[in-house]
Amino acid sequence: MPAGAPLLTLSGVSKHFGGLQVINDLDFVVHEEETVGLIGPNGAGKSTVFNLITSIYQPDRGSIKFKGNEITGLAPHKICHLGISRTYQLVRAFLKMTVMENVMTAAVYGAKHLSQSPKQRTMEALELVELSDKRDIKAAHLTLSDRRLLEIAMGLSSMPALVLLDEPMAGLTEVEIQRLLGVIGATRDERRFSVLWIEHKVDAVLDFCDRVGVLDYGAKIADGCPDDVACNPKVIEAYLGEPVA
């Protein structure tokens, strides 16, 4: 789809841990109502980018802006209030709480919305991810697929403008992946939020996303439409480990 106005902008962002440079001078943009994939080999720095955006880590240098406002250094809960939600590679639901209690917690402690109560936002989010019939089940008793949907519902209940998805398909069967893709696509189309998606299943990202960025050793080596990225020699070399003949 045509790109809207810039929503999230990373400019010259760098991060190192000791002597290891994890992110190196990264420029990256996500526009309004855009679905962007972020791929790269293991250790490329993808999850670190998410942790920088959500202020789990602070960049050594560079700027991170959301809706034109600097968010570098803000507390994570304030970034959530501004309209950014995320999932985690290892699902972080409250296992002893029910599905509804998990989502209600996110709705209450997320962004404030006067037009809807936390309960209304909870029920709407559960409906969107097709978990309404499991709202009274404890999270510990859900399948991995349903836990991932639960975490997405928790993010949606804060009414975000941008959703960060960290490998939501990890550990799922092909049938479960297709269900997850259907749910994410339907909720994105209804809510019209932007998505930044980290995923190891490259084929799914190339099929689903409007644009794809590629990291290798913390540096961006490609950024464009999926077809162009899939044919980029630097991307092929990063994944195969040798130059293309």
Side-chain angles (χ1 to χ4, degrees):
M1 67 175 61
L7 182 65
L8 176 75
T9 304
L10 282 69
S11 303
V13 173
S14 295
K15 180 65 179 178
H16 74 278
F17 297 103
L20 179 63
Q21 189 75 41
V22 182
I23 302 295
N24 187 16
D25 199 27
L26 177 63
D27 296 328
F28 202 74
V29 177
V30 178
H31 298 89
E32 292 177 349
E33 298 184 32
E34 186 180 33
T35 300
V36 182
L38 187 61
I39 64 174
N42 286 333
K46 303 181 297 295
S47 291
T48 299
V49 171
F50 273 23
N51 287 332
L52 290 168
I53 294 169
T54 55
S55 210
I56 304 301
Y57 302 148
Q58 299 302 311
D60 298 321
R61 60 180 181 274
S63 168
I64 303 175
K65 292 184 178 180
F66 183 65
K67 298 182 179 179
N69 299 311
E70 187 71 43
I71 63 171
T72 309
L74 288 182
H77 71 278
K78 291 184 178 180
I79 290 173
C80 176
H81 290 170
L82 291 174
I84 299 177
S85 68
R86 71 171 293 180
T87 67
Y88 292 85
Q89 186 176 349
L90 299 176
V91 181
R92 297 190 180 184
F94 300 104
L95 298 181
K96 294 183 179 181
M97 294 167 58
T98 66
V99 167
M100 185 168 181
E101 288 169 343
N102 268 276
V103 182
M104 181 77 81
T105 299
V108 168
Y109 290 101
K112 308 302 179 186
H113 293 271
L114 299 178
S115 61
Q116 286 185 307
S117 69
K119 185 174 181 180
Q120 288 174 316
R121 284 186 276 127
T122 295
M123 297 308 297
E124 182 177 290
L126 289 174
E127 185 71 26
L128 285 170
V129 304
E130 303 174 0
L131 285 181
S132 296
D133 60 336
K134 298 180 181 179
R135 61 183 177 270
D136 295 323
I137 297 175
K138 287 189 176 181
H141 299 153
L142 296 177
T143 64
L144 175 60
S145 176
D146 281 345
R147 288 187 194 180
R148 294 201 180 280
L149 291 173
L150 169 59
E151 196 170 47
I152 291 171
M154 293 170 70
L156 293 176
S157 69
S158 67
M159 304 297 285
L162 173 64
V163 177
L164 309 178
L165 299 176
D166 192 349
E167 295 194 38
M169 295 188 288
L172 302 186
T173 67
E174 188 59 37
V175 171
E176 291 168 337
I177 286 171
Q178 292 307 312
R179 179 192 176 203
L180 182 70
L181 288 172
V183 167
I184 293 172
T187 54
R188 175 198 59 187
D189 293 344
E190 180 165 332
R191 287 282 188 86
R192 304 181 74 85
F193 50 75
S194 298
V195 177
L196 180 56
W197 185 333
I198 291 174
E199 188 56 63
H200 277 301
K201 296 183 182 296
V202 176
D203 54 341
V205 171
L206 294 175
D207 288 341
F208 193 83
C209 294
D210 304 313
R211 182 165 55 87
V212 177
V214 187
L215 294 181
D216 190 28
Y217 294 107
K220 185 175 72 174
I221 61 171
D223 186 356
C225 73
D227 288 343
D228 289 346
V229 167
C231 298
N232 188 306
K234 290 183 178 179
V235 175
I236 296 172
E237 181 179 347
Y239 276 95
L240 297 182
E242 57 185 24
V244 180

